[in-house]
Amino acid sequence: MKKISIMLSALCLAAGMPTVLQAQTTDFTLDQSVPANPENEPRPVFPVPTARQLKWNQTEFYAFFHYGMNTYTGKEWGNGSESPNTFAPTAVPKPRQWLEAVKAGGMKGGIAVVKHHDGFCLWPTQTTEHNVSKSSNANAQKTNIPKDFAEAAKALDMKYGFYISPWDRNSAYWGEKVNGKYTDNYAKKVFFAQCAEMTKYGADQFEMWFDGATGDNGYYGGANERRNIDNAQRYYDIPNLRDSIHNACPNIILWGTGGEARWIGNEAGWAGETCWSMGDGETGSETAWKWFPGESDAKATSGGWFYHDGETCKSANEMFKIYLETVGRNATLILNFPPNKAGVLPDADVKNLKDLGDMLTKRLGTDLAAQNGVAITASTTRDKGQTRTYDATNMIDGKIDTYWAAPDGTTSATITVTLPEAKTIYYVALQEYIQLGQRIKGFTIETSTDGTNWTKKGGSIATTTVGYKRIIPLNGSTSNSYTNGTKAKYVRVTIKDSRACPTLHTLSIF
Ligand code: FUL
């Protein structure tokens, strides 16, 4: 510091410049004052979500559509040697019908598979001959799934995105080695280019899905051999890919191998009762350093990810259970519906989806806590800031950017809701203000008809974490949640433990 000033003065003198320049030397001393916090907001508990992760979480429930070459071969994994002519839709596929059906099912969006491991592209790509435009089938030639899917989603006001398999069993470049080293031909000429083509179908995509397969035997341009890669992050140059895709589609989350949202650890449609948005797998981890929220991928039909003749579709009741065990446990749910050989969802799926939508509206559509005449109090509340309050009423104002918070150093609190009159209720839902990190570690829910005698609800469900959203069926059963309703005028949520002062932006009663 001193040295720099002296040197600058010497230079000034030598150059005949006024020494007043000395006053402009930089002070490198660290500013240790506490930053001003006029709103008295709680300090974040890291990690916290990025803005795009937060938006992504709000999509909550969306569809997966596995459609492609396998629809016509009856396989789940094609090996890449299939002729484009085998892709022979009996009608031009109708992504709009898929999206209308899942919208009726209560979903906010969908992800369409546009290339599976067999490498066959469902759009007329510049990157390979192995695509719809090369099929002799007239309907195939009119097929462009990403274009039609994106257009339909926009028209229906739904979120959309695409699944592009990184593993490509058709491409001669995939897993190619020269002198024992992997080349970057596949990453650059094929995969990057295909992702770039995909971004052209819409800048407002919400998620791109990269599964984690790292190779096996395949056609590979006629090599017909076994190939593997050792490190997907490096082989696909994921950090660069992520940046390029974010440039084109600012809100997109790159799932799985992309590193921005995690696989929940099973394909059975459930997350852990304890589920942190950090760490891995079904429960995540309270101490992991990275915000890595869970997505649960599950099949609605019995045959597999792709359509298979004779398959059946889960009932609305079965899907509702999955919903409670995923969306209700701080994960998002991507539920798969496979279009058939005519490129539409079968009637049975459409019907069950409609039933599911009606069930969601009936059971979780009307928040009794958000109605007129409801009172809510908290045992402790943080002091207000210049323009913000942290009052308990913020939890029932229908807004997601106002929240209740406890004072610093307080890790437990009791929140009491009083309904205008006793009602039969089935569920209580909580949502943390996760912009400041996931905090709550333990809570209980009790109900009362007189405000004096309280009964603990939720059976043996582990009421530990909350996160983006937690829905507790009061009878303790996710499979039979809409029976044995609870008559209650009062609902009491007691936060028992938290990583720092707890926050909640919404408390709902259904
Ligand atoms: C996996 C794939 O191997 C399956 O075929 C399916 O697409 C599933 C959703 O992801 O990684």
Side-chain angles (χ1 to χ4, degrees), residues 1 17 31 71 79 111 114 133 136 209 237 253 344 389 391 446 485:
M1 182 60 203
M17 285 159 73
D31 177 0
T71 311
N79 94 326
I111 296 206
V114 294
S133 72
S136 54
W209 221 90
D237 195 5
I253 286 301
V344 289
T389 79
D391 294 346
E446 297 159 293

Side-chain angles (χ1 to χ4, degrees), residues 64 66 76-77 116-117 163 209 211-212 267 297 305:
F64 225 169
H66 275 70
E76 281 286 298
W77 280 15
H116 204 251
H117 309 331
Y163 171 126
W209 221 90
D211 81 289
E267 290 177 343
D297 58 333
W305 292 105

Side-chain angles (χ1 to χ4, degrees), residues 315-329:
S315 68
N317 225 6
E318 289 170 303
M319 293 191 275
F320 188 81
K321 171 178 186 279
I322 291 177
Y323 180 90
L324 284 181
E325 293 185 353
T326 54
V327 177
R329 293 181 183 169

Side-chain angles (χ1 to χ4, degrees), residues 192-312:
F192 257 60
Q194 291 178 343
C195 292
E197 285 182 1
M198 224 32 55
T199 63
K200 300 280 188 304
Y201 291 107
D204 52 349
Q205 294 172 46
F206 86 106
E207 176 173 336
M208 204 175 263
W209 221 90
F210 299 142
D211 81 289
T214 55
D216 205 331
N217 49 28
Y219 176 72
Y220 304 123
N224 284 314
E225 61 189 11
R226 188 186 183 87
R227 291 189 187 175
N228 285 90
I229 53 167
D230 57 349
N231 181 322
Q233 290 288 314
R234 196 166 51 220
Y235 183 69
Y236 301 118
D237 195 5
I238 292 293
N240 270 319
L241 180 69
R242 197 166 41 221
D243 282 355
S244 316
I245 296 178
H246 283 161
N247 273 337
C249 303
N251 291 329
I252 212 165
I253 286 301
L254 302 197
W255 184 88
T257 300
E260 292 183 286
R262 76 174 193 261
W263 185 48
I264 208 65
N266 64 68
E267 290 177 343
W270 60 273
E273 289 180 333
T274 297
C275 184
W276 295 98
S277 288
M278 307 87 88
D280 279 309
E282 288 144 359
T283 59
S285 157
E286 183 189 336
T287 52
W289 61 273
K290 175 180 158 179
W291 190 266
F292 202 28
E295 177 191 83
S296 170
D297 58 333
K299 302 174 199 126
T301 52
S302 58
W305 292 105
F306 287 87
Y307 175 81
H308 300 276
D309 289 335
E311 70 186 14
T312 54

Side-chain angles (χ1 to χ4, degrees), residues 385-407:
Q386 262 170 19
T387 64
R388 260 186 182 282
T389 79
Y390 301 96
D391 294 346
T393 49
N394 289 343
M395 288 182 274
I396 58 168
D397 64 1
K399 296 182 188 152
I400 58 173
D401 54 356
T402 66
Y403 59 99
W404 161 83

